[in-house]
Structure formats: structure tokens, C-alpha cells
């Protein structure tokens, strides 16, 4: 039975790209699919088996278990998130960046930070300061400009062989990057309103696009809702990778690095080893989670 991956879904039709010859066949899904006794609907990104029912038609017969499953956009088997943040227009903001990073950690994705609009920055110190803020987290950081082409080759290398979703606030340049990487894609690029410095939202159906040298990109930004619903405080402690090596030294097991005495993370922040702004955001997110549990 042929194997393949769903790359697009439109009103009950699934477009399955064959793993052998990369041809795309329009398929229906017949019957109900289950894993672990849960009924599921096929998603873009699902690895499936299918049977041919006509010259250019087929039917999906089984869906493989998923390695990851994002809800917004609904897409399966994404491996990597490029979290996009502009350096200017809109100006760099670490709070939304940290929120996106926490979301990507929660989904267990490999993470890369992409700082866009490098051409609008005159003082390289501004970029060094941001890199310093994230140095302990270990996230790779790539700095790009679609005007000068800086960082695009590096970004392409990061995308090679991976299935990646781009995430970030409106107007930071996600569509522009995708356009640059996929010259024939039909992405909509909205102009940032100069007055408010914010881009308008453009919504599209999610689709997995193939890259020339292998790998694929979801053409719709991920995690657009920025609440931390459903996340536990414990999960949050793991969503800051720079705290992992400190956990063991905290006096209490399961320390939330909040008001506990003998907290190694708090001491690390005080000693200047851990970034203060990241820690402030950690406490803010922890507070949100604790408030939500209370009511
Ligand atoms: N100077 C400069 N402008 C850029 C760069 N990348 C994107 N822009 C501009 O930033 C604006 C917003 O870019 P988009 O690609 O639409 O941003 P987006 O993140 O896709 O926004 P949404 O679709 O709203 O989520 C556009 O006017 C782009 O031309 C860059 O590297 N340098
Ligand atoms: Zn602690």
C-alpha cells in the first residue's frame, strides 16, 4: 500500500504526497481512524497509507501516530519552530518572544530564534545585547534581512531536511522570509501601518511546502493564541532550558524558583549568571498559570 504525507486539506479532500515519487494525489478519508482508542481526523502533516481508487484519486486507509500535534494551525509532525522577532518596525520585544519560546518548548519542538530587519539596525551593539540575553538558553540565533539577503543562506541551512513552522507577532516579517525562501509561493505580505507599527493579519489555509534541498515549511504561522492555557507550572520550569542545570542545586525538589528558600535559579539571577529579564518573564508566566489554576 502506498505511503505518503498529507500536505494540504481542503473541504474533506486530503492531498497526499507519495513518499516514493513525490506525486500528489487527492484523497478522501473513509471510516474512522483511531490511536490509543481516541478517534482522530487526519491532519496536514500526517503520515498515511492510502489506496488508489482512480487515475488521480485515492482513499486514506490508515494514519500513523504523530510525533507532535499543533492546534493552531492544526498540523501534525512538525519538528522545528523558527520563532521570528523583528529588530525594528516593530521594535524588538523580548516578552512576546519569550512567550513564543515557551509555546514552542511546550510542543517539544526544536527551536531557532530569527531576528529580522537587520538592515534597519545601525548599532550592532543592539544585536549583541539580544544575543547575550539568550546565550544561556542555547537557542541558535540567526539575524536576517530580506533587503540585503543577510542570514538567508544560514536560515536555509537550518531548514534543510526539517519540517518547520514559523511563529511570531504580526508584522515581524514571517511572510517576507517565506517569500524569499520560496520564490514561487503565493504568500500575502501586508504593509506595516507606519503609525501603529503593526502588521495586519492575513489568514490562509495551512499547507506544507517543499524546499528545494529537502525539508518542508508550514506556510501558515503557528501558535497565534498566546495564552498559556493548559500548561502546568512544572512544564514551565522545563520551558526555560537555561534553568535545567540549576534545578539539581535548588534546595527543594520541584522548586518553582519563586519564593522557595535556597533556590539556585534565583541565586543565579542575582549573581548575574542568568538573565534578569528572562527570569522576570518566567515569573510573570508562572503567575499567570497559578492564577488560572486558582479560579
Ligand atoms: N526593512 C525591512 N523590512 C522588512 C524585512 N522583512 C519584512 N519587512 C517588511 O515588514 C512588513 C511586514 O512583513 P510581513 O512579512 O508581512 O510580516 P508577517 O510577520 O508575515 O506579518 P503577518 O502576516 O501580519 O503575520 C512588510 O512591509 C515587509 O516589507 C526586512 O528584512 N527588512
Ligand atoms: Zn529553584
Amino acid at each position: 500500500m502506498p505511503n505518503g504525507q498529507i500536505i494540504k486539506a481542503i473541504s474533506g479532500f486530503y492531498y497526499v504526497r507519495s513518499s516514493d515519487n513525490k506525486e500528489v494525489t487527492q484523497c478522501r478519508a473513509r471510516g474512522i481512524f483511531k490511536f490509543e482508542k481516541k478517534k482522530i481526523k487526519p491532519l496536514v502533516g500526517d503520515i498515511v497509507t492510502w489506496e488508489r481508487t482512480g487515475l488521480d484519486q485515492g482513499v486514506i486507509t490508515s494514519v500513523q501516530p504523530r510525533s507532535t500535534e499543533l492546534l493552531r494551525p492544526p498540523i501534525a509532525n512538525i519538528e522545528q519552530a523558527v520563532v521570528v522577532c523583528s529588530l525594528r518596525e516593530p521594535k524588538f520585544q523580548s516578552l512576546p518572544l519569550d512567550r513564543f519560546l515557551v509555546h514552542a518548548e511546550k510542543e517539544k519542538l526544536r527551536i531557532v530564534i530569527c531576528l529580522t530587519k537587520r538592515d534597519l539596525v545601525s548599532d550592532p551593539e543592539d544585536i549583541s545585547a539580544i544575543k547575550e540575553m539568550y546565550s544561556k538558553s542555547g537557542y541558535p540565533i540567526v539575524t536576517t534581512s530580506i533587503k540585503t539577503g543577510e542570514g538567508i543562506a544560514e536560515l536555509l541551512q537550518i531548514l534543510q531536511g526539517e519540517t518547520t513552522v514559523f511563529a511570531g507577532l504580526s508584522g515581524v516579517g514571517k511572510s517576507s522570509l517565506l517569500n524569499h525562501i520560496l520564490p514561487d509561493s503565493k504568500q500575502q505580505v501586508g504593509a506595516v501601518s507606519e503609525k501603529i507599527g503593526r502588521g495586519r493579519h492575513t489568514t490562509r489555509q495551512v499547507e506544507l511546502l517543499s524546499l528545494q534541498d529537502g525539508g518542508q515549511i508550514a506556510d501558515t504561522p503557528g501558535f497565534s493564541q498566546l495564552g498559556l492555557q493548559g500548561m502546568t507550572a512544572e512544564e514551565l520550569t522545563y520551558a526555560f532550558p537555561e534553568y535545567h542545570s540549576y534545578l539539581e542545586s535548588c534546595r527543594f525538589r520541584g522548586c518553582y524558583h519563586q519564593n522557595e528558600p535556597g533556590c539556585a535559579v534565583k541565586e543565579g539571577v542575582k549573581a548575574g549568571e542568568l538573565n534578569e529579564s528572562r527570569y522576570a518573564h518566567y515569573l510573570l508566566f508562572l503567575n499567570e498559570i497559578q492564577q488560572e489554576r486558582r479560579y
Side-chain angles (χ1 to χ4, degrees):
M1 218 174 280
N3 250 301
Q5 185 171 31
I6 301 175
I7 58 162
K8 187 163 68 170
I10 299 173
S11 46
F13 285 108
Y14 298 96
Y15 295 82
V16 177
R17 186 172 54 220
S18 153
S19 42
D20 320 324
N21 60 8
K22 306 294 170 209
E23 242 171 54
V24 177
T25 308
Q26 177 181 296
C27 293
R28 286 279 191 189
R30 216 173 277 149
I32 293 160
F33 302 103
K34 288 182 183 172
F35 345 112
E36 290 158 8
K37 297 193 181 129
K38 264 199 317 201
K39 287 180 197 165
I40 58 122
K41 263 180 71 176
L43 282 181
V44 170
D46 267 331
I47 309 292
V48 300
T49 56
W50 58 284
E51 277 169 19
R52 198 172 283 289
T53 54
L55 196 58
D56 50 8
Q57 281 174 28
V59 58
I60 293 173
T61 49
S62 75
V63 178
Q64 299 299 305
R66 297 163 180 157
S67 63
T68 62
E69 183 180 334
L70 303 185
L71 291 177
R72 284 174 300 256
I75 188 164
N77 300 318
I78 290 281
E79 301 161 325
Q80 176 169 257
V82 172
V83 180
V84 183
C85 200
S86 54
L87 290 159
R88 299 278 187 273
E89 295 182 20
K91 73 172 200 295
F92 175 78
Q93 300 170 74
S94 60
L95 180 57
L97 174 55
D98 285 341
R99 243 182 230 281
F100 278 111
L101 293 171
V102 164
H103 273 265
E105 288 283 356
K106 179 170 182 257
E107 303 296 347
K108 300 199 165 28
L109 303 175
R110 193 173 315 122
I111 295 170
V112 176
I113 296 174
C114 179
L115 302 174
T116 58
K117 312 197 191 185
R118 169 68 183 85
D119 55 286
L120 299 177
V121 179
S122 46
D123 187 355
E125 279 289 311
D126 293 359
I127 299 167
S128 314
I130 297 168
K131 288 189 173 167
E132 175 58 30
M133 193 184 296
Y134 291 92
S135 62
K136 286 267 164 55
S137 71
Y139 297 129
I141 298 180
V142 48
T143 310
T144 60
S145 165
I146 58 152
K147 303 282 181 202
T148 65
E150 179 177 337
I152 300 295
E154 195 185 337
L155 185 62
L156 277 171
Q157 222 160 26
I158 287 165
L159 301 175
Q160 215 176 60
E162 305 283 338
T163 303
T164 304
V165 70
F166 282 65
L169 290 180
S170 184
V172 295
K174 300 178 297 296
S175 314
S176 304
L177 277 176
L178 293 185
N179 274 335
H180 216 75
I181 292 161
L182 306 153
D184 56 354
S185 89
K186 295 170 218 75
Q187 278 291 319
Q188 308 266 318
V189 178
V192 168
S193 153
E194 280 175 19
K195 271 197 192 124
I196 56 170
R198 275 203 202 145
R200 66 185 164 80
H201 289 277
T202 45
T203 42
R204 283 171 47 95
Q205 278 249 315
V206 61
E207 183 173 351
L208 275 180
L209 302 172
S210 292
L211 292 165
Q212 224 160 29
D213 302 324
Q216 38 194 5
I217 307 184
D219 73 337
T220 311
F223 350 107
S224 44
Q225 300 287 316
L226 290 180
L228 297 172
Q229 287 93 344
M231 193 165 193
T232 65
E234 194 189 358
E235 281 174 318
L236 184 71
T237 63
Y238 287 107
F240 282 69
E242 61 266 55
Y243 300 168
H244 294 182
S245 63
Y246 286 78
L247 271 171
E248 267 183 16
S249 314
C250 289
R251 188 179 305 163
F252 296 103
R253 266 186 70 168
C255 181
Y256 290 153
H257 320 314
Q258 195 174 23
N259 303 314
E260 297 91 336
C263 170
V265 168
K266 239 180 347 192
E267 278 156 23
V269 175
K270 227 180 261 168
E273 295 163 22
L274 290 169
N275 183 265
E276 230 180 311
S277 138
R278 286 268 290 164
Y279 180 62
H281 295 162
Y282 167 82
L283 288 180
L284 188 78
F285 301 152
L286 182 62
N287 208 355
E288 273 177 35
I289 290 168
Q290 289 168 335
Q291 291 295 328
E292 194 194 317
R293 305 247 138 184
R294 209 159 291 152
Y295 299 107

